[in-house]
Amino acid sequence: MKFTEYILPVIICGILIYALVKKVDIWEEFTAGAKANIKVTLDILPSLIGLLLAVGMFRASGAIDLITLAMSPILGITGFPSECVPLALIRPISGSGALATFENILSASPPDSFAGRVASVMFGGTETTFYTCTVYFAATKVKKLRHTIPCALVGDIFGPFICAFLVYTLLK
C-alpha cells in the first residue's frame, strides 16, 4: 500500500484524537457546522441558479459557435488553436461546462495534438472566475466587486494565450 492511501484516514484520526484530548463534544461541533453550512448554501443558491441558467442559455443559443467562427481568422495569426476557443469562453463561467467542452476537444483532437495539449493546460491552469466570485462573494456578503472582476477578466483574456505559448515553447 502507498503512503498516500493513508493520508485522509490519518488526518481524520488526528482530528478526532485532538478533539478527545481537548474534551470537545465532536457531535455537537459537527452538527453546528452542518447547520451553519446549510444557511450558507441557502444564501448562495439564488446566485448559483442564475449562473447555471446563464451558462445553459449561452451554450444552447449557439453563441459559442458564432464567436469561435468569428475569432478563428484572428486566432490563426496568433497560433492559438481555434478548437480551444469554446473552452477559453466557457471556462471563466462554468467548471462543468468547461469539462464538457474539454471532453469535446479531446474527442475531436488527439490528446497529444497541439490543441489537445493547449486544452489540457488551459483546463488545469485557468479558473472559473464568475463561479468563484458568485460563490465566495455571496457567501461572505461582499457587494462591491470593485477591482476583482476587471482583474480576473484580464487573466481570463491572457490566460489561454499564455497556455498556448507555454505548450508551444515547452512541449514542442
Side-chain angles (χ1 to χ4, degrees):
M1 292 237 152
K2 296 179 185 176
F3 171 73
T4 55
E5 295 175 4
Y6 295 107
I7 290 176
L8 190 58
V10 167
I11 291 172
I12 292 171
C13 288
I15 291 170
L16 292 174
I17 290 169
Y18 180 79
L20 289 172
V21 169
K22 293 291 185 175
K23 296 183 175 142
V24 174
D25 185 357
I26 298 169
W27 183 252
E28 187 67 33
E29 293 298 322
F30 173 77
T31 55
K35 184 178 179 181
N37 283 315
I38 288 173
K39 289 179 183 176
V40 170
T41 301
L42 291 175
D43 286 345
I44 66 173
L45 194 59
S47 299
L48 284 176
I49 291 171
L51 181 65
L52 292 173
L53 179 67
V55 169
M57 290 172 56
F58 186 58
R59 290 185 76 203
S61 70
I64 292 177
D65 297 330
L66 289 174
I67 294 170
T68 301
L69 186 64
M71 292 179 71
S72 291
I74 298 167
L75 295 176
I77 296 168
T78 65
F80 188 83
S82 61
E83 300 92 341
C84 295
V85 172
L87 182 60
L89 293 173
I90 203 77
R91 181 67 173 156
I93 302 169
S94 167
S96 58
L99 179 61
T101 305
F102 176 63
E103 289 174 350
N104 289 341
I105 292 169
L106 291 184
S107 66
S109 303
D112 287 342
S113 68
F114 182 65
R117 289 179 176 184
V118 169
S120 298
V121 174
M122 277 177 43
F123 190 76
T126 56
E127 181 57 70
T128 53
T129 304
F130 293 106
Y131 175 81
T132 303
C133 289
T134 300
V135 170
Y136 292 122
F137 287 147
T140 58
K141 296 182 180 21
V142 172
K143 300 291 182 201
K144 295 182 181 178
L145 303 182
R146 196 171 172 184
H147 301 298
T148 305
I149 297 296
C151 291
L153 287 175
V154 169
D156 290 336
I157 290 168
F158 288 106
F161 293 104
I162 292 170
C163 291
F165 175 75
L166 289 173
V167 168
Y168 182 77
T169 56
L170 298 175
L171 300 177
K172 270 262 177 175

